[in-house]
């Protein structure tokens, strides 16, 4: 995959603008933390691990602009607050900010240049670790799905949603690399933001993995026709009991998979597991603008004044999840116990 989702280039964060894909490959350059926050808020960069990495780099950018040691505390608190307030559901954002804060706390009272350097190093480490975790979980997932030929995925959990390689799509990439004969990957279009149609179909086509794009309301048809061997999706936050918050529509896929006895796998790094969050009911669900529902690609499709609902994520109960594929292990039920053992171990 030659497209780079996020790059750090000497004090600049360069992001591929995911709102423009697949029609245009446009890169946005962020030179300060406010531009990074805006890019996260407006979905230039999206996907749980990717927004975590972008936020970490945003903190490093924020520190770079500070000129006087006495300004450090006020300036950095503003940086952390602004980035934390961008999107609520994906825990990777808050996990990455917590890691950056630990470095900040350790170095804030010392040399300012050292603080800046350490924050930059930590952000780059978070970025590299994400790619490494995805490669490892990808190969664990490839082992698990080795006999599945026809797979369905929802939203985009690919290289674009991470620092590289992808989680659910990382599993598919690893399957391909290991020589597995993938016959067909069904990709749900993922209304309203169309991450499936625009981003996943694009990534898989580039990888020469056979893609069949379907609209969201065709999931039941393809499962009922016996055309799906396994489902693999990403996650924005996994609660301590194994409940999974992921893109709106994931719960529908999971219920259908259960009804048709199709295994439903979640692929995510352990940075997506929030052991402090007891269950899915405790996960904040982002509500987005009504324009995303009333419009498609900038064209209004609904009558003026219609009432809308636009939750960006839903929660899938852990009872519907066959396994959670992380870089440390493939976690199976009972999740309460096994997630804690794997993530703390
Ligand atoms: O609103 P988005 O596009 O940021 O939502 C992304 C998802 O829901 C992905 O499936 C999830 O973050 C997994 S990414 C590896």
């Amino acid at each position: 995959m030659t497209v780079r989702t996020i790059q750090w280039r000497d004090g600049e964060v360069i992001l591929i603008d995911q709102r423009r894909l697949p029609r245009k490959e446009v890169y946005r350059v962020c030179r300060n933390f406010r531009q990074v926050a805006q890019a996260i808020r407006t979905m230039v960069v999206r996907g749980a691990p990717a927004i975590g990495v972008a936020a970490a780099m945003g903190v490093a950018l924020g520190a770079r602009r500070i000129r006087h040691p006495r300004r450090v505390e006020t300036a950095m608190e503003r940086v952390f607050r602004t980035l934390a307030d961008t999107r609520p559901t994906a825990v990777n954002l808050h996990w990455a900010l917590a890691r950056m804060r630990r470095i900040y706390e350790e170095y804030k009272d010392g040399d300012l240049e050292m603080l800046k350097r350490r924050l930059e190093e930590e952000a780059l480490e978070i970025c590299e670790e994400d790619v490494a975790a995805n490669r490892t979980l990808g190969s664990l997932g490839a082992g698990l799905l080795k006999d599945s030929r026809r797979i369905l995925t929802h939203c985009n959990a690919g290289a674009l949603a991470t620092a590289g390689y992808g989680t659910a799509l990382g599993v598919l990439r690893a399957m391909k690399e290991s020589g597995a004969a993938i016959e067909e990957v069904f990709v749900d279009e993922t209304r309203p933001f169309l991450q499936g149609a625009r981003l996943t179909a694009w990534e898989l086509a580039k990888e020469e993995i056979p893609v069949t794009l379907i609209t969201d309301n065709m999931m039941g048809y393809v499962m009922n026709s016996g055309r799906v061997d396994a489902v693999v999706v990403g996650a924005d936050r996994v609660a301590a009991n194994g409940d999974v918050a992921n893109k709106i529509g994931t719960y529908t896929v999971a219920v259908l998979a259960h009804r048709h006895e199709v295994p439903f796998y979640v692929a995510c790094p352990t940075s997506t597991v929030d052991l402090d969050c007891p269950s899915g009911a405790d996960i904040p669900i982002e509500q987005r603008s009504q324009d995303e529902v009333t419009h498609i690609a900038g064209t209004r499709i609904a009558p003026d004044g219609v009432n809308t609902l636009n939750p960006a994520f839903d929660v899938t109960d852990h009872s519907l999840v066959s396994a959670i594929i992380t870089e440390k292990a493939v976690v199976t039920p009972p999740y309460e116990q096994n997630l804690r053992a794997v993530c703390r171990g």
Side-chain angles (χ1 to χ4, degrees), residues 43 46-49 87 155-157 161 167 195 235-236 246-247 313:
M43 311 277 278
R46 34 69 48 201
R87 296 193 72 191
C155 191
N156 172 267
T167 57
Q195 288 94 331
D236 288 84
N246 191 48
K247 180 52 53 194
F313 303 94

Side-chain angles (χ1 to χ4, degrees), residues 30-50:
C30 302
R31 297 191 173 86
N32 59 54
F33 77 93
R34 288 191 193 285
Q35 289 173 340
V36 174
Q38 178 72 356
I40 295 173
R41 208 177 293 114
T42 58
M43 311 277 278
V44 167
V45 60
R46 34 69 48 201

Side-chain angles (χ1 to χ4, degrees), residues 160-172:
L160 289 166
T162 63
Y165 204 71
T167 57
L169 298 198
V171 172
L172 300 179

Side-chain angles (χ1 to χ4, degrees), residues 249-271:
T250 302
Y251 171 64
T252 317
V253 181
V255 170
L256 282 166
H258 183 72
R259 170 74 178 82
H260 296 286
E261 296 178 5
V262 170
F264 178 89
Y265 300 118
V266 172
C268 65
T270 49
S271 55

Side-chain angles (χ1 to χ4, degrees), residues 27 174 320:
Y27 290 84
L320 299 172

Side-chain angles (χ1 to χ4, degrees), residues 50-240:
I51 62 178
V53 172
M57 290 182 179
V59 172
L61 276 188
R64 242 177 126 99
R65 289 287 182 109
I66 303 171
R67 298 279 168 262
H68 302 291
R70 65 170 193 285
R71 296 262 311 117
V72 167
E73 193 166 342
T74 329
M76 288 308 290
E77 289 307 330
R78 187 178 307 125
V79 168
F80 281 114
R81 209 173 37 246
T82 306
L83 288 160
D85 283 349
T86 49
R87 296 193 72 191
T89 304
V91 77
N92 308 63
L93 175 83
H94 306 282
W95 169 89
L97 289 176
R99 254 181 82 160
M100 296 301 282
R101 184 175 276 285
R102 282 199 288 277
I103 299 296
Y104 164 64
E105 296 293 343
E106 195 179 334
Y107 291 90
K108 68 178 183 192
D109 298 322
D111 176 54
L112 179 56
E113 292 313 307
M114 171 68 105
L115 171 68
K116 293 179 185 179
R117 193 164 61 248
R118 284 294 298 116
L119 286 173
E120 181 177 325
E121 283 167 1
E122 188 72 1
L124 294 178
E125 218 168 288
I126 289 174
C127 183
E128 279 164 26
E129 281 176 21
D130 184 57
V131 182
N134 294 339
R135 285 192 177 275
T136 310
L137 74 84
S139 83
L140 288 174
L144 189 67
L145 274 86
K146 64 179 186 319
D147 297 323
S148 307
R149 298 276 169 269
R150 301 157 312 163
I151 295 157
L152 184 141
T153 191
H154 187 69
C155 191
N156 172 267
L160 289 166
T162 63
Y165 204 71
T167 57
L169 298 198
V171 172
L172 300 179
R173 283 198 165 89
M175 286 174 76
K176 188 176 177 224
E177 282 163 19
S178 69
I182 303 175
E183 230 171 72
E184 189 166 30
V185 177
F186 289 103
V187 173
D188 301 333
E189 68 172 347
T190 321
R191 271 280 287 153
F193 209 71
L194 304 174
Q195 288 94 331
R198 296 187 304 103
L199 309 176
T200 299
W202 181 73
E203 269 198 59
L204 291 179
K206 260 183 183 287
E207 239 8 282
E208 296 180 354
I209 293 175
V211 186
T212 303
L213 177 64
I214 57 172
T215 61
D216 297 330
N217 51 1
M218 296 174 192
M219 295 164 187
Y221 171 84
V222 292
M223 289 219 206
N224 200 28
S225 346
R227 291 177 66 174
V228 180
D229 300 324
V231 172
V232 61
V233 297
D236 288 84
R237 190 184 302 224
V238 175

